[in-house]
């Protein structure tokens, strides 16, 4: 399970040093793809296969399912971290996520999310109030 918040920087080649806590789980490969709210999802190879299996179960006659699968899978890039734990984020995904130099990496259970730091701070500020007011109805 991926947990925590980290603030690494992208280098000039668009590479990210994965937080040390995540490296073992991703050392055999990972998949980056478009996520909701303009972040980048990072799945282990195994978890991405599970996500793909769920997408494959959707009806081909469902336009929403086809559209979602197209966007999700067409942006996917399988990567292997180098010996320093760096992974290259493809330019198309950096553009999608608005990623420049300052990024925030969060653990989100079965995946990691990479956010532009300013976008993450805005999102978190909006959601923390909602979170703190949540009660069981």
């Amino acid at each position: 399970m991926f947990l925590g918040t980290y603030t690494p920087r992208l280098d000039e080649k668009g590479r990210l040093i994965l937080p040390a806590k995540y490296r073992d789980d991703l050392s055999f490969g990972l998949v980056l793809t478009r996520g909701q709210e303009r972040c980048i999802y990072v799945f282990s190879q195994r978890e991405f296969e599970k996500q793909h299996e769920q997408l494959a179960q959707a009806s081909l006659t469902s336009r929403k399912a086809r559209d979602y699968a197209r966007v999700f899978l067409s942006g996917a890039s399988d990567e292997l971290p180098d010996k320093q734990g760096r992974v290259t984020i493809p330019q198309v995904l950096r553009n999608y996520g608005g990623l420049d130099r300052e990024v925030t990496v969060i653990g989100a259970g079965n995946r990691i999310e990479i956010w532009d730091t300013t976008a993450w701070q805005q999102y978190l500020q909006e959601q923390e109030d909602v979170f703190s007011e949540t009660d069981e109805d």
Side-chain angles (χ1 to χ4, degrees):
M1 180 170 18
F2 297 108
L3 305 170
T5 302
Y6 304 88
T7 53
R9 291 175 169 222
L10 290 182
D11 69 12
E12 64 281 347
K13 296 180 182 177
R15 294 178 301 191
L16 171 77
I17 297 176
L18 294 168
K21 191 174 182 180
Y22 301 158
R23 289 182 198 163
D24 284 345
D25 291 330
L26 301 173
S27 63
F28 295 106
L30 56 91
V31 178
L32 300 125
T33 193
R34 294 177 186 100
Q36 275 70 48
E37 293 85 33
R38 294 278 178 173
C39 71
I40 307 304
Y41 286 168
V42 182
F43 294 99
S44 68
Q45 193 74 37
R46 184 174 162 199
E47 184 60 34
F48 188 79
E49 290 169 8
K50 288 181 188 177
Q51 297 298 315
H52 179 260
E53 287 173 17
Q54 288 179 347
L55 288 173
Q57 298 301 316
S59 172
L60 282 176
T61 60
S62 168
R63 181 179 201 88
K64 285 184 179 183
R66 290 192 316 270
D67 290 345
Y68 184 88
R70 285 177 184 134
V71 173
F72 186 76
L73 296 172
S74 69
S77 177
D78 54 336
E79 303 289 335
L80 191 61
D82 68 13
K83 292 179 182 178
Q84 289 80 38
R86 295 177 301 192
V87 63
T88 300
I89 301 173
Q91 186 66 52
V92 67
L93 292 177
R94 282 184 273 150
N95 292 345
Y96 173 80
L99 304 181
D100 193 20
R101 191 122 165 97
E102 304 295 325
V103 298
T104 298
V105 175
I106 66 163
N110 69 336
R111 69 184 179 279
I112 295 166
E113 295 180 357
I114 304 170
W115 290 74
D116 167 75
T117 294
T118 301
W120 170 250
Q121 290 169 345
Q122 290 171 347
Y123 175 83
L124 189 58
Q125 184 176 7
E126 293 169 7
Q127 295 305 313
E128 280 182 330
D129 288 338
V130 174
F131 176 80
S132 68
E133 297 296 323
T134 302
D135 62 1
E136 193 173 317
D137 289 330

